[in-house]
Amino acid sequence: MKIITDFDFIDSVKNVNEGLHPLKVIRNNKQRYIHLLPIYTIIALMVQKFSDIDVKEIIAFILRTYGIYISYEMLFDIIIKNFNPDKIDIYAAKAITNLKKLVVMLEEINVSTTYNMLLESELYAKEHSFDTEDRIIPAMVSKKYIYVPSYGYDGSEKTTSILQEHTIGTKVYILSQDEPDKQYRRVLSKSHI
């Protein structure tokens, strides 16, 4: 059995556990930054055509523009965080709501857990593949395997492996109980050279 969500499970856990920093802003607004990249590139190329700037200056222009944009977003988020009575940023507030909904949804696939246990979840394997079935253009599928602390049928604590499947470019995340086919263990080699 599978459940469908509209948010990335492991990113929500990171949003709650981490403080506000530039990488958190980028992670939560990556679609916006991807859409702005062609606009900034076109502006930089138009400036290059009518002036004497080289490629390094174009890259510096794009990075400066992104830096200014990220700074404004961080300033806006800090202001909102300070006015919030719980003193949490907007990304953490949204992630808390999503994780509390996920606790109820995980019951459908027989994973009994709590909100605080979800915060201890960790990503342990990641796979990427191309889906070519029923498509002209192949789609990239990301699979994340996550250890989730949960309760067994007898009430004892255990760890459950959750598979999160996501087709890149969509907002659909499919969660199910599964483990990767191959598990590798890191071992020191003992060679007698």
Side-chain angles (χ1 to χ4, degrees):
M1 189 163 176
K2 299 180 178 188
I3 56 176
I4 298 173
T5 63
D6 61 347
F7 60 91
D8 190 332
F9 172 40
I10 204 68
D11 281 352
S12 294
V13 171
K14 287 179 187 176
N15 285 341
V16 174
N17 290 335
E18 294 177 351
L20 185 63
H21 55 82
L23 292 178
K24 185 175 184 178
V25 173
I26 292 169
R27 180 176 60 235
N28 287 293
N29 296 314
K30 58 187 156 205
Q31 291 290 357
R32 189 178 319 164
Y33 297 129
I34 289 172
H35 292 303
L36 289 175
L37 183 63
I39 295 170
Y40 292 151
T41 306
I42 289 170
I43 291 170
L45 291 174
M46 286 174 49
V47 168
Q48 181 192 21
K49 184 174 182 169
F50 298 111
S51 66
D52 298 342
I53 63 173
D54 60 345
V55 177
K56 290 180 183 178
E57 292 177 5
I58 291 175
I59 293 171
F61 169 76
I62 293 172
L63 290 177
R64 266 193 310 261
T65 310
Y66 272 127
I68 292 168
Y69 193 62
I70 292 168
S71 299
Y72 284 140
E73 291 232 7
M74 286 230 14
L75 180 66
F76 178 71
D77 293 336
I78 289 170
I79 290 170
I80 288 178
K81 181 179 177 180
N82 287 330
F83 284 118
N84 189 349
D86 298 331
K87 298 295 183 196
I88 56 174
D89 57 285
I90 56 175
Y91 307 118
K94 185 176 178 181
I96 289 170
T97 305
N98 288 338
L99 289 176
K100 287 183 178 178
K101 284 191 285 187
L102 187 61
V103 169
V104 176
M105 294 171 74
L106 285 173
E107 290 288 334
E108 295 175 16
I109 59 172
N110 299 324
V111 178
S112 178
T113 187
T114 64
Y115 167 74
N116 290 329
M117 292 173 89
L118 281 183
L119 293 179
E120 298 172 9
S121 301
E122 64 180 82
L123 176 70
Y124 71 94
K126 190 187 281 191
E127 296 176 2
H128 296 283
S129 62
F130 286 101
D131 180 20
T132 56
E133 292 181 21
D134 302 331
R135 299 177 189 266
I136 296 172
I137 300 172
M140 188 171 194
V141 178
S142 170
K143 293 182 180 181
K144 295 180 181 177
Y145 295 92
I146 305 163
Y147 282 139
V148 177
S150 61
Y151 293 112
Y153 290 111
D154 59 351
S156 62
E157 286 192 26
K158 66 175 192 166
T159 303
T160 306
S161 177
I162 300 288
L163 166 64
Q164 174 183 286
E165 297 175 283
H166 171 63
T167 304
I168 305 294
T170 65
K171 291 187 178 183
V172 176
Y173 297 86
I174 301 169
L175 299 172
S176 61
Q177 281 192 43
D178 200 3
E179 293 183 359
D181 294 335
K182 300 176 188 176
Q183 288 187 345
Y184 297 105
R185 191 174 59 148
R186 294 182 183 179
V187 182
L188 292 174
S189 65
K190 296 180 181 179
S191 62
H192 301 287
I193 298 178

